[in-house]
Amino acid sequence: VSLVYKSEATRGEIWREIFAREMPDLPFHVWPEVGDRASVRYLVCWVPPENLTEQFPNLDVLFSVGAGVDQFDFSTLPADLPVVRMTEEGIAEGMVQYATMAVLALHRDLFVYQSQQRKEAWRTLPHMPAGQRRVGVMGLGMLGKRVLEQLRPFGFDLAGWSRSGCDLDGIDSYAGAEQLPAFLARTDILICLLPLTEETRGVLDRDLFACLPVGAALINVGRGGHLNQDNLLHALASGQLRHAVLDVCDPEPLTQGHPFWSHPHITLTPHIASVTHAQTGAQTLIENLRRHQRGEGMVGVVNRQSGY
Ligand code: NDP
Ligand code: OXD
């Protein structure tokens, strides 16, 4: 029984050492080196190799190195192959930091002040108390919930929306398509933390923007595929939206000359909201491997039906 790691090389070398120490009986191969293909039971990757089943005919589990699994084409994976996403603490920590940074920057008009500075303009804007700023998170999973909890001490008026809602203390919960318009109507700063699935692709579109209060702001930390780019440009031009902070785009990177690069009301970062930390990521993977070897359920198993 062996494991193949196929992803970022630096992390691979760190994981190789951790595995040698913690699971010395499990051979750890770093792609393209795979050892005996027939003995590979675990594949840990961002994108799997082509012809996965021919490459590794006896695979037991496919692990994503990241929290998302939309990079997998489920139709090409064996139907009964468990797919497990990464749930390590470092991902939540990074996301919470990024979302807090973006919310505070929008709340305190940092992007407006930056542009004023470039024009040598010393002008104060009206200050809005946090209690009057309505922040809403779409997607209340591992990351969305943590972001809301972290934002609570600032005193924002908080709400969340997901398929099934949530019961976080002091946070208004909205569930399902019927309650989406009401959630949007009360949201000045919208954070997208949904997984990208057939249902959520393109969700950040003209209709959704139209449900937000005029002058709302968007933070997309989900996936580029959630956003209709033309609709965003239109919403920014009309003033329906005042600013967008985008950590993800489609494609990544954006093509040269794409209007987002130089847009005065778009702030772009190169998919860095959070990354899997080498140490805690290895630990989380090892705990899951041990669970699997004991015949117990693993943490982060993806529902192949819903796609997340
Ligand atoms: P989870 O699977 O834990 O949570 C997903 C949430 O989205 C759940 O609350 C779920 O609802 C909700 N949801 C899914 N589909 C729908 C739908 N059709 N309608 C309404 N709600 C829906 O995911 P995570 O919190 O771990 O991660 C979310 C995403 O964040 C990842 O998939 C990835 O795309 C992105 N990400 C981005 C990173 C970055 O650096 N930019 C880093 C890490 C992740 P319910 O609870 O009812 O099932
Ligand atoms: C992830 C990501 O899914 O980095 O972990 O986006």
Side-chain angles (χ1 to χ4, degrees), residues 183-185 187-188 190 207-217 240-241:
F183 163 75
L184 296 169
T187 295
D188 303 311
L190 178 68
D207 294 342
L208 180 142
F209 299 146
C211 293
L212 292 166
V214 173
Q240 177 62 27
L241 290 187

Side-chain angles (χ1 to χ4, degrees), residues 78-113:
D80 55 353
L81 178 67
V83 176
V84 179
R85 60 202 201 86
M86 180 50 81
T87 56
E88 67 97 8
E89 174 58 24
I91 296 181
E93 184 188 307
M95 186 54 77
V96 155
Q97 289 171 359
Y98 187 97
T100 306
M101 171 183 76
V103 167
L104 289 177
L106 289 163
H107 172 60
R108 298 304 310 269
D109 294 309
L110 182 66
F111 305 116
V112 182
Y113 287 121

Side-chain angles (χ1 to χ4, degrees), residues 85 140-143 161 163-164 195 199 221 223 247 274 308:
R85 60 202 201 86
L140 302 172
M142 172 178 90
L143 301 178
W161 175 82
R163 192 193 295 272
S164 57
E199 273 188 40
V221 269
R223 286 288 183 258
D247 181 55
S274 63
Y308 70 95

Side-chain angles (χ1 to χ4, degrees), residues 98-228:
Y98 187 97
T100 306
M101 171 183 76
V103 167
L104 289 177
L106 289 163
H107 172 60
R108 298 304 310 269
D109 294 309
L110 182 66
F111 305 116
V112 182
Y113 287 121
Q114 277 180 333
S115 110
Q116 287 191 177
Q117 179 188 345
R118 284 189 285 272
K119 295 177 201 142
E120 301 190 13
W122 187 272
R123 198 180 306 130
T124 57
L125 299 168
H127 175 65
M128 182 183 281
Q132 287 173 31
R133 187 77 76 183
R134 299 164 299 176
V135 180
V137 176
M138 301 177 82
L140 302 172
M142 172 178 90
L143 301 178
K145 277 191 193 157
R146 287 287 293 277
V147 164
L148 280 166
E149 274 161 5
Q150 184 69 25
L151 289 174
R152 203 198 320 250
F154 291 103
F156 293 116
D157 182 353
L158 299 172
W161 175 82
S162 70
R163 192 193 295 272
S164 57
C166 76
D167 57 357
L168 289 174
D169 233 17
I171 291 167
D172 292 335
S173 164
Y174 295 80
E178 326 71 61
Q179 294 183 7
L180 181 59
F183 163 75
L184 296 169
R186 55 72 60 211
T187 295
D188 303 311
I189 298 177
L190 178 68
I191 305 174
C192 175
L193 259 171
L194 290 166
L196 184 63
T197 65
E198 273 171 37
E199 273 188 40
T200 65
R201 182 173 292 281
V203 63
L204 303 173
D205 68 357
R206 175 189 297 119
D207 294 342
L208 180 142
F209 299 146
C211 293
L212 292 166
V214 173
L218 170 70
I219 300 168
N220 189 16
V221 269
R223 286 288 183 258
H226 287 130
L227 177 67
N228 182 312

